[in-house]
Amino acid sequence: MRNGLKNTRKRTTAKKVSQVKAINLALQGGGSHGAFTWGVLDALLEDGRLEFEAITGASAGAMNAVVLADGMLDNPRDPKEGARQALHDFWRAVSRKPGFAGNGLGADLPAWFKFPGLKELNQNYALDKSPAFLMFDLLSRVASPYQLNPLNINPLRDVLKDWVNFERLREQCPLKLFVCATNVHTGRPRIFEEKELTVDMLVASASLPFFFQAPEIGSEAFWDGGYSGNPPLFPLHHCTQTQDLLLVQINPLIRDDLPTTSSEIIDRVNEISFNTALMLEMRSIEFVQRLLREEKVDSKRYKDIFFHMIHAEDKLTAFGASSKFNTRWDFLIELRDIGRTTAQSWLEQQYESVGQRGSIDIAQTFL
């Protein structure tokens, strides 16, 4: 059953309802840091002035997108409140599920590994000092999930089956969904849409190859969608009418400190890898926008994008990369609250730009 939200409800005012604007969302994956995105979505839904035409996502971003859409169907009288409730309950279920404690979405460890609460050890929820995490991290470099987890135990699949009604979602989805997974054989992104979505497709979007066997859909095998689109933006160009695109950024674009240990180097390589596809898409968007401004391309064929971004890079990087594997409830709540505060600040500063112009300089931010 859905548990009541506490301390976050606020009635939408008549003034806000009259100012509703359409926007598309692009949600990055990033393990348990996806709870930051939960907080962002919670604040946007609570505020009530934005309507979502479509959401694209990979890994934890895809989880948030699908749970939000399914939650809207739970409460026809107040779809946004239903979405808020569903997101709360989903993340609570993740924190409680045996086999999840200390791992996280997009990087799920086998169920026989359960990590203790580690905030007491280093005050930032990182798992670098956990013997169990270090042991499994070492094992994953010498043995594959086909050897370490031959039964292919996946607590994420169980949670999704419990909390998402995929049959109903395929028939009645209230918005467009684009879930990205990476085709193991071709390396190309595969976009699953709401009308075909199954639990295996969502699990595929969050399957890191060193932790889980590649889910097979039809004759193809898939890995985490972050490798080929984190998140993919191109479906929003071709399949929607809305000009405004809001990216919820989790993975840091910039780290000031030089990584010097092997774990730091691996973590930074992974961050760069998971941002590469996004950087390439942003380069294409900036190029088309420049051509539109210079009237060198047909504005009827190419859509001008008003680009926006919500991030808390300084706060999320302070937790450390290994904290993406930690699903303690107190940590998820802290991430949620950071997301809520960040989104509320963005709404206060940038809401008026929605529908009028972009609120970030793409070239300066990404290129």
Side-chain angles (χ1 to χ4, degrees), residues 208-240:
L208 286 178
F210 291 107
F211 294 94
F212 270 94
Q213 299 177 26
E216 296 185 5
I217 300 171
S219 60
E220 304 292 339
F222 294 92
W223 282 338
D224 195 293
Y227 291 113
S228 55
N230 193 26
L233 304 181
F234 63 89
L236 302 178
H237 295 269
H238 305 298
C239 303
T240 71

Side-chain angles (χ1 to χ4, degrees), residues 51-274:
E51 294 285 352
F52 312 139
E53 179 186 358
I55 309 179
T56 180
S59 195
M63 306 296 155
N64 279 316
V66 171
V67 171
L68 180 152
D70 187 59
M72 295 181 81
L73 297 174
D74 285 340
N75 190 344
R77 292 186 177 182
D78 193 345
K80 291 181 179 179
E81 194 64 29
R84 293 182 64 212
Q85 188 70 64
L87 286 165
H88 172 278
D89 294 346
F90 171 75
W91 284 97
R92 188 61 173 135
V94 167
S95 73
R96 287 172 169 168
K97 185 70 177 179
F100 265 124
N103 53 38
L105 294 175
D108 313 304
L109 305 185
W112 53 86
F113 280 89
K114 185 172 183 178
F115 303 118
L118 294 174
K119 188 179 182 183
E120 294 77 9
L121 293 179
N122 53 16
Q123 298 300 310
N124 69 352
Y125 296 101
L127 301 175
D128 298 349
K129 296 181 181 180
S130 163
F133 178 80
L134 293 173
M135 179 177 67
F136 187 81
D137 186 54
L138 177 61
L139 285 173
S140 69
R141 302 182 197 283
V142 296
S144 80
Y146 295 87
Q147 299 165 311
L148 293 175
N149 187 12
L151 298 179
N152 200 19
I153 299 170
N154 193 328
L156 176 59
R157 178 180 280 105
D158 295 336
V159 172
L160 290 170
K161 283 183 177 180
D162 289 342
W163 292 99
V164 177
N165 186 333
F166 285 92
E167 182 178 359
R168 181 183 65 174
L169 196 65
R170 289 191 295 269
E171 296 176 354
Q172 305 174 34
C173 190
L175 44 80
K176 297 177 182 177
L177 295 175
F178 305 102
V179 172
C180 182
T182 302
N183 188 305
V184 177
H185 307 289
T186 66
R188 298 172 183 167
R190 170 69 161 88
I191 305 299
F192 300 108
E193 299 185 29
E194 71 281 355
K195 293 180 181 179
E196 62 181 329
L197 199 60
T198 66
V199 65
D200 288 332
M201 294 173 183
L202 201 51
V203 169
S205 181
S207 293
L208 286 178
F210 291 107
F211 294 94
F212 270 94
Q213 299 177 26
E216 296 185 5
I217 300 171
S219 60
E220 304 292 339
F222 294 92
W223 282 338
D224 195 293
Y227 291 113
S228 55
N230 193 26
L233 304 181
F234 63 89
L236 302 178
H237 295 269
H238 305 298
C239 303
T240 71
Q241 300 298 316
T242 302
Q243 281 186 279
D244 289 86
L245 192 165
L246 173 59
L247 169 68
V248 182
Q249 176 83 13
I250 292 179
N251 293 300
L253 296 171
I254 298 172
R255 279 193 183 269
D256 295 327
D257 297 332
L258 177 68
T260 55
T261 68
S262 59
S263 61
E264 290 173 345
I265 292 170
I266 291 170
D267 289 339
R268 186 55 182 156
V269 167
N270 287 334
E271 288 173 349
I272 292 172
S273 298
F274 273 74

